[in-house]
Amino acid sequence: MESLLALGGLVLLRDSVEWEGRSLLKALIKKSALSGEQVHILGCEVSEEEFREGFDSSINSQLVYHDFFRDPLNWSKTGDALPGGPLGVLRAMCTRTGPGPVTIALDSLSWLLLHLPCTTLCQTLNALSHKDSCPGDSFPSEHVHVLGLLHEELHGPGPLAALSTLAQTEVTLSGTGDQASACILYRRPQQRPIHKTQWFSILPDFSLDLQGVSPLKSQPHADAYTSPVDLSTHLTFNLHLSKKEKEAKDSLTLPFQFSSEKQHALLRRGLSQATSHIFYEPDAYDDLDQEDPDDDLDI
């Protein structure tokens, strides 16, 4: 968990009904703020007051909150609506010029997917995560951290696969009791994806209490959410031989294999039978008339 923000790019936090992910999002935001980073929050699902609850004043003072929960479509006509909507704010972040690393928290990607075309959102996220897609950007790409909260049960396989392709890190949340676990998938250019499982708990002040981690495992073909399938489970025949069956198979002589004994027997038989004759006795119904071979057809 400590390395989630070590490198830049999109960090996808995938939660579910059984285990919410906003607490982990706020814990990562606190970690970024304590590191001195600029933190921008695109709030869509909960109010600003609810989101800031639990942070002390020093953390809240560093958070730049873009509120799309109170009036996302500017129905009140108060003039407080942000120009361009959520997409305009994201595109404005892409052309920032301030110094230092930046963390952009999206609460949530699910809300954005329900209000924006998937292709447009993916293009904007790609521009936020990669320096070469952001003209005028003065930051190297590893200094841009995009944290996206995604309620994966609300979306089909198409949008999930598109966002998964863009993410440099994916975190799938689960747990038992009060203890949460995060299945973390790291993707790095020209390297094999790496899986890690981290057990943790989140304290009331949104500090992370790391409790245990499984060793890193490299996967040649990464797929964090599909388990390997044993193709021999439901077969009607056995793919493996026992020791006795293997010995019987090795001792079997196939018909097209000629052993030295068989070759010797065939050669001796040929020497003893130098000539051969064919004896034929005509049948009563045999047609021996060569001039009329169809005579027996009674035409």
Side-chain angles (χ1 to χ4, degrees):
M1 301 291 285
E2 297 290 344
S3 59
L4 286 181
L5 300 177
L7 298 175
L10 174 62
V11 178
L12 205 59
L13 306 178
R14 306 171 65 133
D15 69 355
S16 61
V17 174
E18 289 79 10
W19 209 272
E20 61 89 20
R22 185 169 288 111
S23 297
L24 177 59
L25 177 67
K26 295 176 70 170
L28 295 177
I29 288 174
K30 178 179 180 179
K31 178 177 174 58
S32 297
L34 292 176
S35 301
E37 298 185 14
Q38 303 177 34
V39 181
H40 291 262
I41 301 170
L42 195 66
C44 306
E45 289 189 348
V46 298
S47 65
E48 180 177 358
E49 293 78 11
E50 181 180 348
F51 192 90
R52 290 180 178 272
E53 185 178 354
F55 291 138
D56 56 31
S57 57
S58 62
I59 299 297
N60 278 320
S61 62
Q62 300 183 55
L63 305 183
V64 180
Y65 198 91
H66 307 274
D67 189 1
F68 285 93
F69 174 79
R70 192 179 309 275
D71 188 12
L73 302 178
N74 194 26
W75 286 353
S76 61
K77 303 296 182 181
T78 59
D80 297 333
L82 299 174
L87 194 60
V89 172
L90 290 176
R91 288 173 174 170
M93 292 178 184
C94 185
T95 57
R96 68 204 176 281
T97 57
V102 175
T103 294
I104 302 171
L106 308 178
D107 184 19
S108 68
L109 277 175
S110 294
W111 190 95
L112 295 174
L113 278 175
L114 295 176
H115 293 79
L116 298 174
C118 181
T119 54
T120 303
L121 178 60
C122 289
Q123 290 171 357
T124 307
L125 290 175
N126 184 66
L128 285 172
S129 304
H130 297 84
K131 179 175 182 288
D132 54 0
S133 300
C134 297
D137 189 0
S138 61
F139 292 131
S141 58
E142 60 268 16
H143 288 171
V144 182
H145 309 128
V146 182
L147 305 175
L149 179 62
L150 182 66
H151 313 312
E152 60 180 359
E153 295 170 328
L154 300 180
H155 311 287
L160 290 178
L163 291 173
S164 177
T165 302
L166 291 176
Q168 280 74 39
T169 306
E170 290 188 63
V171 181
T172 304
L173 297 175
S174 60
T176 56
D178 296 332
Q179 192 177 33
S181 68
C183 180
I184 307 174
L185 171 63
Y186 297 96
R187 294 190 183 95
R188 296 294 176 261
Q190 300 179 351
Q191 297 182 15
R192 290 184 175 181
I194 297 177
H195 290 272
K196 182 175 73 171
T197 300
Q198 173 74 63
W199 292 90
F200 67 97
S201 61
I202 299 177
L203 303 180
D205 62 345
F206 295 105
S207 298
L208 280 175
D209 181 18
L210 304 180
Q211 297 163 0
V213 61
S214 67
L216 295 175
K217 294 188 295 184
S218 177
Q219 299 289 339
H221 302 287
D223 195 345
Y225 310 105
T226 57
S227 58
V229 178
D230 186 4
L231 299 178
S232 62
T233 303
H234 303 291
L235 294 179
T236 57
F237 54 88
N238 187 14
L239 293 177
H240 308 285
L241 298 177
S242 64
K243 183 178 180 181
K244 292 183 178 180
E245 290 173 339
K246 189 175 181 180
E247 292 176 353
K249 176 179 175 293
D250 294 338
S251 62
L252 180 64
T253 302
L254 300 178
F256 54 82
Q257 292 180 339
F258 287 86
S259 61
S260 58
E261 294 81 2
K262 191 172 183 179
Q263 290 179 359
H264 185 66
L266 290 174
L267 291 175
R268 291 188 60 184
R269 185 183 303 174
L271 293 175
S272 61
Q273 297 178 357
T275 60
S276 60
H277 302 277
I278 298 177
F279 297 95
Y280 172 68
E281 183 176 354
D283 195 359
Y285 296 98
D286 287 346
D287 185 8
L288 302 179
D289 189 356
Q290 299 299 327
E291 295 181 359
D292 189 8
D294 298 330
D295 182 47
D296 57 334
L297 298 180
D298 295 331
I299 298 176

